[in-house]
Amino acid sequence: MMLDVQAQPGRSLPTPVRFTIPNVSLIAHKFLDHLRHYEKLLRRFYTGGVLNVSSGDGRKEPTIGAFKFRGACNAISSLEEHQAAKGVVTHSSGNHAAAVSLAAKLRGIPAYIVIPNNAPNCKVENVKRYGGQVIWSEATIQSRESVAAKVLEETGAVLIHPFNDGRIISGQGTIALELLEQVPQLDTIIVPISGGGLISGVALAAKSINPAIQVLAAEPKGANDAAQSKAAGRIVKLSETNTVADGLRAFLGDLTWPIVRDLVDDVIIVEDKEIIEAMRLCYEILKVVVEPSGAIGLAAVLSEGFRDNPTWKDCKDIGIVLSGGNVDLNVLWESFTK
């Protein structure tokens, strides 16, 4: 089965996007085998619970505690030797930065990581732990991209974009492949949205397997550019963002936008207080460590906007992607006591 994403009339799709289920499956099994191998190796080098290793719940990724290693591993392992020789560059607020650092370390190449100066300390420490060379930028997307472009020019390395990259999208899409293999009766999947790499991969894979499945995005009110983009029919970029979900402050790219526009069924807007309450439930009831950006899917399902919307009254079997568990504990305690 193949899903071919075409632009709507009057709109262009910059890069043809074509995914086939055999290809997605091949990618999944190829690098999931790598993940299991790496997990065994890393256990030998790190002790004392330093790493978030796979818990068997289909959420945590070996070592970095977030889904981002899927895309980073796929992208970096696909580089030709001459491409990889000078290393890789990325810009990220944390989880993708750590994922690229680790994937580069495992391949034996340098990783130059541009990080905004408001990134959580725990995520910065992950980058350093995995050998990434930290280069600071201002908190804006424009600053991140400008600094990354300068590093690219100086080093000759290869850019591994956090979301606007087909290899990243393919890697993240294996989440849907695994989820639907384990729970094939799902009628809805709810996914956090920021730059759109995760939800693009999930939507492409899930709708290739089951075209009737609903894919819903969960987005914080203080960074609701995806919802505004869907409403406007074009990419909307905000002048500023304000949300506790630090991993959901990016904007859609020209590759992820057409997929989100055409394949994501709706966007559920969530207040920060709802995200924090969802985190509390994860900690107190599920006993799962999850960061604000990762908890937003659960917050969306529990929100009045979802429960009271007649459009979604038939959503019975819902899969929620809890996308990461890297938490700055000082910020966490403060959020719980507000």
Side-chain angles (χ1 to χ4, degrees), residues 155-218:
T155 62
V158 176
L159 178 67
I160 306 295
H161 197 278
F163 52 85
N164 207 43
D165 184 311
R167 300 162 301 183
I168 295 291
I169 292 171
S170 295
Q172 320 306 29
T174 60
I175 290 176
L177 181 69
E178 287 189 90
L179 191 56
L180 290 172
E181 282 180 348
Q182 295 175 34
V183 196
Q185 73 272 22
L186 289 179
D187 56 48
T188 306
I189 302 177
I190 298 183
V191 188
I193 190 167
S194 182
L198 171 59
I199 200 167
S200 292
V202 167
L204 284 163
K207 288 182 180 273
S208 293
I209 296 169
N210 176 11
I213 198 167
Q214 302 287 333
V215 177
L216 305 180

Side-chain angles (χ1 to χ4, degrees), residues 25-43:
S25 180
L26 179 62
I27 292 169
H29 292 104
K30 176 182 177 181
F31 84 74
L32 288 176
D33 284 343
H34 284 312
L35 294 185
R36 297 185 186 100
H37 174 65
Y38 293 152
E39 180 180 339
K40 293 176 183 177
L41 289 177
L42 289 162
R43 283 179 186 272

